[in-house]
Amino acid sequence: MASPHSDPEDVHVINHERDKDLEDSPSEPAYAINDHRPIIADKLARKLTARQVQMIAIGGTIGTGLFLGTGKSLATGGPASMLIAYLIVGGIVMLTMFALGEMAAFVPIAGSFCTFAGRYVDDSLGFALTWNYWFNDAVSTAADLVALQLVFAYWDTNLPGWGLSLIFWVLLILANIITVKAYGELEYWLSLLKVIFIILGIAVNCGGNNQHKYLGAHNWYIGDAPFVGGIGGFASVFVTASFAYGGTESIAITAGETKNPTKNLPRVVKNVFWRILLFYILSVLLIGLNVPYNTPGLSSKTSSTSPFTLVFQMAGAQAAGSFINAVILTSVISAGNHALFAGTRLLYALSVDRHAPKVFGKLNRNRVPWIAVLATSAISGLCFGASFIGAGQLWTWLQNLVGVSNQLAWIAISVTSIRFRGALAAQNKTHLLPFKNWTYPWGPWLSVILNVVIVLVQGWNSFSPKFTGVDFVSYYIELPVMAIMWLGWKAWKRTKVPTYEEMDLETDVYVVSEEDLVESEKEKSARGRLERVLRWIF
């Protein structure tokens, strides 16, 4: 990346290990060697490889939303509604990821799209969005710990749900507080189990079962299928799909700890999205074909059985169902691990941007924001409320909150992308982008329009056939909260929307390090090319 005073093709080298005291001054600017760009947020240890970041993205997204959320979607909307909604939301996420990947490769920092919103739109929007998304990740961790209780209930043990959640709550905190490398490795291997499961699930559905026959498509024609619940049932699936896809955008939050982000992030964005979309659409199609929408236990107040487990029960012995349930259990833990990681980095970013107390920006000797880990994990204690209101009901409410929060984030990312590209054009810096969003300008605008429509209509079931106050709150409470935080901070701080010429396109722009250059040289070898192919496959 070029400095403003040099030729665009020049490569500048920065030593990211130069400062031993970064953890003691999280909000004081440091400066790049051989470059004059200020660095405010780019202080975390860059230890995550492209392999780990790809699996973190897959692992954080292919979790409870796919394995449990599809059961709720099928029960409330039917197989056709579920498939169409997942296709539409998948398209929205594709547009969002290209826009975000473009910005994150240019300015790879832990705050990612939340910090971008503050810099490129309005500081008050960045404030509201970051707090909203931090709460999103904290609640997601709680939702995953509640889902853990639902999945474990399959075995009908005497272990109380809160006890199971407590055990894994502590384990997740420890994994996130030690070192980012420990987090990355744990996430990689848990995620790999999910990829193997998807392949195995397709084989079973296509005839690899004890009956040696395809399970059939007759479930699309029973009862009210394929569209169950009319327009209300169809609309309600969108929030579940948004919860399921949510987390894809948070791979940009790993940008602050990714090696050679200008090369690895665009690669990860392009590769990961197509894998996720492939896994989701195939899985949703197979579930709709093989599991009746009226199957008992798909979604109730006290329970929620994974349709994947049901398929394996129908296809094989009870042991097969137990095996898949165990794999789903690891998936839920993996998704919780991912949510806690992302939430922690956002709280760190809030501290760096002076939107939260400085203490949350304090790093330990491994350069991990350990106080932010503890604070984020404290919110996930919501999971223990399942003992009082039913794990199935609590999980549904938490899922709605997170789904709407994801949609608001996607709207903000798209709006930020529009202004980011406008500023680049005004300052003649578009050529400096290491990765360009090929869908600009129509992609971000389409994403904004579709998301706004979905946010407004997806709560249809809370009005019809009768008004349900709690469901209404879970669908729409995020909207006034976001507005109050945005407008309140704007009024208090008197923030202004910067013009394209005023926008800061210098701070935290990544410059290539010596280690990045070495890695690039390695990739040119025969072994490097082989590793690239294997990385795409695995």
Side-chain angles (χ1 to χ4, degrees):
M1 194 65 60
S3 76
H5 308 295
S6 63
D7 186 86
E9 297 302 318
D10 288 347
V11 175
H12 298 277
V13 178
I14 176 173
N15 179 5
H16 282 280
E17 301 299 326
R18 67 194 180 283
D19 192 351
K20 302 295 183 183
D21 302 313
L22 291 174
E23 61 267 33
D24 298 322
S25 56
S27 55
E28 295 178 8
Y31 290 89
I33 293 176
N34 297 330
D35 198 87
H36 300 289
R37 291 191 180 87
I39 296 175
I40 294 176
D42 186 15
K43 296 182 180 181
L44 298 177
R46 293 190 178 276
K47 295 183 179 180
L48 293 178
T49 64
R51 168 183 69 92
Q52 290 174 331
V53 173
Q54 289 192 65
M55 278 301 176
I56 286 169
I58 294 173
T61 306
I62 301 179
T64 49
L66 178 62
F67 294 130
L68 282 177
T70 46
K72 178 179 179 293
S73 297
L74 183 60
T76 58
S81 294
M82 180 171 66
L83 182 60
I84 294 170
Y86 274 75
L87 277 168
I88 292 173
V89 176
I92 290 173
V93 174
M94 180 190 73
L95 299 174
T96 303
M97 287 304 296
F98 284 140
L100 179 57
E102 178 180 70
M103 294 185 287
F106 189 66
V107 183
I109 53 176
S112 186
F113 53 89
C114 297
T115 301
F116 298 155
R119 290 185 187 179
Y120 307 143
V121 182
D122 188 355
D123 184 59
S124 59
L125 176 61
F127 171 82
L129 182 63
T130 313
W131 276 111
N132 172 74
Y133 208 76
W134 169 75
F135 186 70
N136 172 325
D137 284 319
V139 171
S140 291
T141 308
D144 291 326
L145 290 170
V146 172
L148 201 67
Q149 300 177 30
L150 293 171
V151 174
F152 198 77
Y154 175 81
W155 289 293
D156 196 24
T157 65
N158 293 322
L159 179 66
W162 65 265
L164 185 72
S165 291
L166 179 62
I167 292 170
F168 285 99
W169 186 51
V170 172
L171 288 176
L172 291 182
I173 293 172
L174 292 176
N176 277 269
I177 216 168
I178 298 170
T179 170
V180 69
K181 199 162 187 178
Y183 160 81
E185 283 303 318
L186 174 63
E187 190 67 18
Y188 178 80
W189 292 107
L190 287 177
S191 301
L192 193 59
L193 275 175
K194 282 181 268 187
V195 177
I196 294 170
F197 160 70
I198 294 290
I199 297 170
L200 185 61
I202 292 172
V204 168
N205 279 274
C206 292
N209 51 66
N210 60 0
Q211 297 176 0
H212 304 293
K213 68 176 184 179
Y214 180 65
L215 298 177
H218 66 279
N219 291 320
W220 276 59
Y221 305 104
I222 62 172
D224 295 331
F227 293 98
V228 177
I231 185 65
F234 176 64
S236 69
V237 178
F238 282 103
V239 73
T240 309
S242 298
F243 172 80
Y245 279 107
T248 317
E249 71 286 342
S250 64
I251 64 165
I253 292 170
T254 66
E257 291 160 277
T258 302
K259 294 179 181 179
N260 198 0
T262 56
K263 286 197 69 173
N264 284 332
L265 283 175
R267 178 187 297 159
V268 167
V269 165
K270 288 184 283 189
N271 289 354
V272 165
F273 176 76
W274 291 111
R275 292 190 206 175
I276 290 173
L277 189 59
L278 186 67
F279 290 143
Y280 267 94
I281 300 307
L282 278 179
S283 298
V284 165
L285 176 62
L286 289 167
I287 288 169
L289 288 172
N290 299 298
V291 179
Y293 75 89
N294 53 6
T295 301
L298 269 183
S299 182
S300 68
K301 184 175 181 178
T302 58
S303 67
S304 185
T305 305
S306 169
F308 287 84
T309 303
L310 294 175
V311 166
F312 271 70
Q313 270 185 266
M314 292 184 293
Q318 183 72 21
S322 292
F323 168 74
I324 288 305
N325 214 58
V327 174
I328 293 171
L329 199 66
T330 66
S331 169
V332 172
I333 298 167
S334 171
N337 187 34
H338 174 89
L340 182 56
F341 172 89
T344 296
R345 270 56 189 177
L346 285 172
L347 190 52
Y348 168 81
L350 280 164
S351 176
V352 168
D353 291 338
R354 295 184 174 87
H355 291 161
K358 288 177 66 174
V359 67
F360 294 123
K362 189 173 180 58
L363 309 177
N364 64 15
R365 64 180 181 180
N366 292 318
R367 298 172 76 181
V368 172
W370 65 279
I371 295 179
V373 172
L374 295 178
T376 305
S377 61
I379 299 296
S380 60
L382 281 169
C383 65
F384 302 117
S387 302
F388 306 101
I389 59 179
Q393 183 65 72
L394 177 60
W395 187 74
T396 297
W397 290 341
L398 295 177
Q399 177 187 247
N400 290 347
L401 287 172
V402 174
V404 175
S405 180
N406 288 335
Q407 292 159 350
L408 293 177
W410 298 339
I411 293 171
I413 289 169
S414 299
V415 171
T416 303
S417 172
I418 293 167
R419 285 191 49 80
F420 172 71
R421 284 296 290 268
L424 283 171
Q427 298 181 28
N428 296 315
K429 293 183 178 180
T430 306
H431 66 282
L432 297 178
L433 288 172
F435 168 66
K436 288 187 178 181
N437 172 19
W438 61 269
T439 70
Y440 179 84
W442 61 268
W445 280 110
L446 181 59
S447 176
V448 170
I449 294 168
L450 288 176
N451 273 305
V452 168
V453 171
I454 290 171
V455 165
L456 294 177
V457 305
Q458 65 193 358
W460 189 290
N461 275 350
S462 64
F463 295 97
S464 177
K466 66 176 182 178
F467 181 75
T468 309
V470 176
D471 289 343
F472 174 81
V473 169
S474 70
Y475 279 116
Y476 295 110
I477 188 64
E478 288 276 355
L479 303 183
V481 169
M482 181 82 172
I484 289 169
M485 294 179 72
W486 182 0
L487 298 176
W489 186 260
K490 188 172 184 65
W492 185 30
K493 293 292 185 178
R494 299 184 182 278
T495 62
K496 295 181 179 180
V497 178
T499 64
Y500 286 158
E501 290 74 17
E502 294 172 341
M503 280 168 56
D504 180 6
L505 297 175
E506 297 292 330
T507 302
D508 292 319
V509 171
Y510 189 76
V511 287
V512 181
S513 69
E514 293 172 346
E515 186 179 355
D516 295 336
L517 296 176
V518 172
E519 287 294 322
S520 295
E521 287 300 315
K522 285 182 180 178
E523 288 195 359
K524 295 177 182 177
S525 66
R527 179 178 176 180
R529 287 193 290 270
L530 177 62
E531 286 179 350
R532 281 206 307 272
V533 173
L534 293 176
R535 186 163 54 232
W536 196 95
I537 297 172
F538 297 106

